[in-house]
Amino acid sequence: MSPFYTAAKHMLRTPDGPSVGYMCEFVPVELIVAVGATPYRMCTGLQETTFSAEEYLPQTFCPLIKSTMGAYGEKPPFDLVVIPATCDGRKHLGELYSDDVNVHMMDVPITGETVHARMLWMKEVQRLRKALQSTFDKKITAKGLKRAILEENGRRELMAQLLEQRKGDLTLSGSDLMLVALMSRYMDVDRWSKAVNVLIASGSKRKTRKEGRTDRSGPRILLTGAPVILPNWKIPLLIEESGGALVLDSLCSGTRTMWQTAEPSGWSIQEMMIAMADRQMMSLCPCQIPFDAAWARIRTVIEDFQIDGIIHHVLQSCHPFGVEATLMRRRMEELDVPLLSLETDYSQEDVEQLRTRIEAFIEMLEGRSNR
Amino acid sequence: MALYSAGIDIGSTYTKCAITDGENILGHSTLQTGAGAQKAADTAMSEALAMAGLDREQIGAVLTTGYGRRIIKEADSNISEISANARGAAWFGKELGTIGTIIDIGGQDTKVIALKEDGAVRDFLMNDKCAAGTGRFLEVIARSLGATIDDLGEMSLRAKGGIDISATCTVFARSEVASMLSKGIEPEEIAHALHRAIAKRSGVMARKVGLREQVFFDGGPARNIGMRKALESELGMKLVSPDKPQIVTAIGASLLARERKEGGQ
């Protein structure tokens, strides 16, 4: 894990050379790579920078948006900032930046499952390509894009292998898994892939020797909801400290969509654009309705990974994830899988209150399995 | 030899201790937590021992719960107050009839716990991190009315009703109360409105978890008759409580201490 810990220490160091700051997993990073720039995910988890952002943003705004605004100030150091207009926070952050910075907003269709939505999104991905080409005054070629797609697919295939190992006893803690996923946005693909290959190899060795770790034998937890970004690591750590086996997350900062590859029907620019757009459209974010696609994924995960209980993370003032908690609660009654919904922000002051809830939830799950 | 066990519930405001032999409550105590959880736990334990007529050496198992549960030295183990409260309520269920739902208003938390038929926790909900609608809220407002928390219940029963407190934040409610007082509104009316405001919040939580009879009301504020009436009218059902609703969680912890010891954990 040490390459990931090292990368985590430096994650706030923005890239040298041509770079594109982006927010949110709707952005197909392959286009950025294909134009010769380094993609950098701007979402931050710092508590201290939320205060300075209150100079520009309402105090009750989402902590992730406040933290990001505070971390980079009014002029983030990128050649281009790409922000999908998903939630209110991202929309208005883009607006605030646009006076001083080169900002490209992407129009994300809210109703995600219609033909019209798909067409709109295709056009948006085309428009991003044009914006990148004009910013860097360089054409994105079919050859360059193919290379970028294959590289990103390779990364995602490795992630899928790592996830496959979560199906039985855990050989890697859940918080480490989340760190590996998060660091895929901050490490170059070769370094990241090499380190993940090491984890996969040691995982399969342990699996064949049946060396699941006993300290990870508690109730199997799936973490869903709002993104968890370093250093705001309290939720995964509390789950593990309370005796939960954190099997998997379904967060956009983690592994929610990282198992999906883009599979173009051919290698023309057009076919590649379609494949990328279709994959990103499956971001499973509650800023889009209906909830069906996201729920289908959660259901599959519950079954495939033998999940005993779900912990749903809501960031204060993030209404999409707040409502998602209710939608999940309704659907989960049929499945008889308990749900704990936690609302919090980036502060540490509620750690003990969160701990009580998480411990009680794990005690409740243990009670179920003892009967 | 009989196995005596102690449960210590170190809450944000009060520390409670109960000593049981599995069948009977032999001793109990309630005192303010104050600044030192360890000291409060020690004193609560000595007082409960004195009531039980036992020595510390005779206690075979100690389990702590509540916010201070992890920092107490003499505990054999600890458990969340949700599990301990559920265990305590289920024990009272033998006498009061099977408990379906617990509403616990504590010093800084309000909890609603749904129980299965066998007394295990089915689901639970706790209020968010602010103190709105908790015992602390009652205490702060009582002070602005120049009353104690124990007076509030009786006061509110004398009210005609029809006044609402809209603020749910403790700090804002306090200023709302101040402005009501300056308008000449009677403290009785304010006390009544206050209980209704808390009942409404707790009612939302209870319905979210799902109400099943019987509904067991515990925690310190369950002693407040005004609070109880307001909650009963909000939920449209009768609530049951034991004599000392503030020590239910400590009793549960004591029973669990015993079960863990006997289970060899």
Side-chain angles (χ1 to χ4, degrees), chain B residues 18-32:
Chain B
I19 295 171
T20 63
D21 61 2
E23 301 288 326
N24 310 290
I25 304 163
L26 305 174
H28 61 84
S29 59
T30 302
L31 49 92
Q32 289 206 331

Side-chain angles (χ1 to χ4, degrees), chain A residues 312-330:
Chain A
H312 187 75
H313 170 233
V314 180
L315 283 174
Q316 247 161 38
S317 308
C318 177
H319 305 308
F321 285 111
V323 174
E324 196 180 54
T326 306
L327 293 170
M328 280 175 62
R329 188 173 274 274
R330 279 189 194 163

Side-chain angles (χ1 to χ4, degrees), chain B residues 46-230:
Chain B
S46 326
E47 287 185 10
L49 282 169
M51 187 191 282
L54 294 170
D55 291 327
R56 176 64 183 85
E57 295 71 39
Q58 288 173 273
I59 303 296
V62 181
L63 184 68
T64 51
T65 185
Y67 276 118
R69 67 186 177 279
R70 295 152 57 83
I71 53 179
I72 304 303
K73 285 193 290 262
E74 53 269 61
D76 301 316
S77 57
N78 68 72
I79 197 160
S80 73
E81 51 266 42
I82 309 276
S83 302
N85 196 343
R87 183 68 191 88
W91 190 73
F92 279 105
K94 283 189 293 187
E95 173 190 323
L96 300 169
T98 309
I99 310 296
T101 313
I102 303 168
I103 299 178
D104 169 18
I105 302 187
Q108 66 177 30
D109 281 313
T110 296
K111 314 175 187 75
V112 179
I113 308 169
L115 298 185
K116 294 189 195 170
E117 307 251 311
D118 62 2
V121 177
R122 184 170 56 83
D123 198 3
F124 67 91
L125 206 61
M126 279 168 94
N127 65 311
D128 298 318
K129 66 180 181 185
C130 84
T134 64
R136 173 71 69 189
F137 181 70
L138 274 171
E139 211 170 78
V140 168
I141 307 295
R143 215 175 300 143
S144 357
L145 295 177
T148 68
I149 191 159
D150 292 327
D151 301 333
L152 275 184
E154 292 295 335
M155 270 171 70
S156 72
L157 295 185
R158 296 195 294 270
K160 290 193 284 288
I163 303 283
D164 279 319
I165 289 180
S166 53
T168 47
C169 163
T170 308
V171 178
F172 289 134
R174 204 164 147 194
S175 60
E176 198 176 345
V177 165
S179 97
M180 283 176 162
L181 285 171
S182 72
K183 280 185 207 147
I185 296 174
E186 298 295 329
E188 284 77 6
E189 298 296 336
I190 297 173
H192 182 74
L194 177 70
H195 293 140
R196 279 200 11 228
I198 297 178
K200 253 184 210 158
R201 276 185 80 87
S202 315
V204 169
M205 283 174 66
R207 283 187 285 269
K208 233 177 180 173
V209 174
L211 274 166
R212 282 193 214 173
E213 289 189 290
Q214 300 194 78
V215 182
F216 184 85
F217 182 27
D218 68 3
R223 291 182 305 171
N224 172 332
I225 178 74
M227 190 63 249
R228 166 179 304 275
K229 291 243 150 126

Side-chain angles (χ1 to χ4, degrees), chain A residues 15 45 92 106 121 128 144 197 241 273 284-285 325-326 335 339 342:
Chain A
H92 296 303
M106 294 182 82
W121 185 240
L128 174 63
N197 270 317
E241 282 173 25
M273 295 291 283
L284 311 179
C285 174
T326 306
L335 296 185
L339 169 79
L342 298 170

Side-chain angles (χ1 to χ4, degrees), chain A residues 12 14 23 40 42-58 61-78 89 92-94 96-97 346:
Chain A
L12 285 169
T14 51
M23 289 195 82
Y40 180 87
M42 295 168 65
C43 307
T44 60
L46 291 163
Q47 152 82 345
E48 52 270 32
T49 59
T50 59
F51 301 113
S52 47
E54 283 170 17
E55 194 182 320
Y56 322 98
L57 297 169
F61 225 55
C62 155
L64 187 150
I65 300 295
K66 281 201 290 187
S67 172
T68 306
M69 181 92 194
Y72 303 105
E74 286 172 279
K75 290 184 185 170
F78 307 103
H92 296 303
L93 186 67
L96 286 170
Y97 277 152
Y346 280 1

